[in-house]
Amino acid sequence: MCNAFQWIQYGSIKNIFMNFYGVSTVAIEWLSMCYMLIYIPLLVPGAWLLEKLSLSTITLIAAGLTCLGAWVKLGSLKPHLFPVTVLGQVICSVAQVFILGVPSRVASVWFGANEVSTACSIAVLGSQKALFERSHEPLPERVTELAGHGGHHSRGEHAAELPRPRLPPREALHRPARPR
C-alpha cells in the first residue's frame, strides 16, 4: 500500500508540483506513467525472482526499494531537482513489480485449488480498499494552503475551498447516521 501512495502522490495535487518544479503537466503525469512503463520489461524477471526467493525476501526487497525511492524523492525538495524526483519514482516503480505479484503467490502457496481465486481477489481488493480510504482523508493544512497559490484548478485547490468536515472521514464512517 505504501508503494501505491508513492505512485499517485504527484497526480492529486499536480498544480503544486508543476509550479514548484517549473515543469509541464505531462512531466508530472509521467511520474505515474513510469510505473506502468517499468512494469512491462521487469514483469518476467520479477515473476522469476518471486518463484526463486522466499515471500519474505521479496517483500523485504520491495519494501526496501520503496523506502529508498521515498528517501531519494525527499532529497528533491528544491525546484531544480526534478530529475531526482524522477529517479526516486523509478526506484519505487521497480519495487511495484515485486509487490504486485505477492497476493497471487501467497494465494497459490497457502490455499487449495478451489480457494486460490477467492484468496487472491480478497488480497488485491483489500489493498485497493485501504488505498481508497487513505486517499479520501482530509489534506494536511500546509498542502491546502499551497494549493491556493497554483494557477491551475485541481483537486487540491478545490479541497482548500471546502469547509472542514465535523468529523474526520475515518470517524464518520464508524458512527451511525443521524436521522433527518
Side-chain angles (χ1 to χ4, degrees), residues 7-25:
W7 170 43
I8 62 170
Q9 76 185 68
Y10 295 101
S12 60
I13 48 176
K14 187 183 330 184
N15 65 316
I16 294 171
F17 290 108
M18 286 171 47
N19 291 334
F20 181 76
Y21 289 117
V23 296
S24 68
T25 299

Side-chain angles (χ1 to χ4, degrees), residues 2-70:
C2 200
N3 187 270
F5 288 130
Q6 300 297 323
W7 170 43
I8 62 170
Q9 76 185 68
Y10 295 101
S12 60
I13 48 176
K14 187 183 330 184
N15 65 316
I16 294 171
F17 290 108
M18 286 171 47
N19 291 334
F20 181 76
Y21 289 117
V23 296
S24 68
T25 299
V26 174
I28 299 297
E29 289 170 354
W30 269 104
L31 290 174
S32 75
M33 293 289 288
C34 77
Y35 265 68
M36 293 167 251
L37 189 65
I38 288 174
Y39 187 75
I40 295 168
L42 295 183
L43 173 62
V44 173
W48 179 79
L49 282 173
L50 194 58
E51 285 289 321
K52 296 296 176 195
L53 302 175
S54 68
L55 283 170
S56 60
T57 303
I58 288 294
T59 305
L60 284 172
I61 290 171
L65 286 171
T66 300
C67 181
L68 176 64

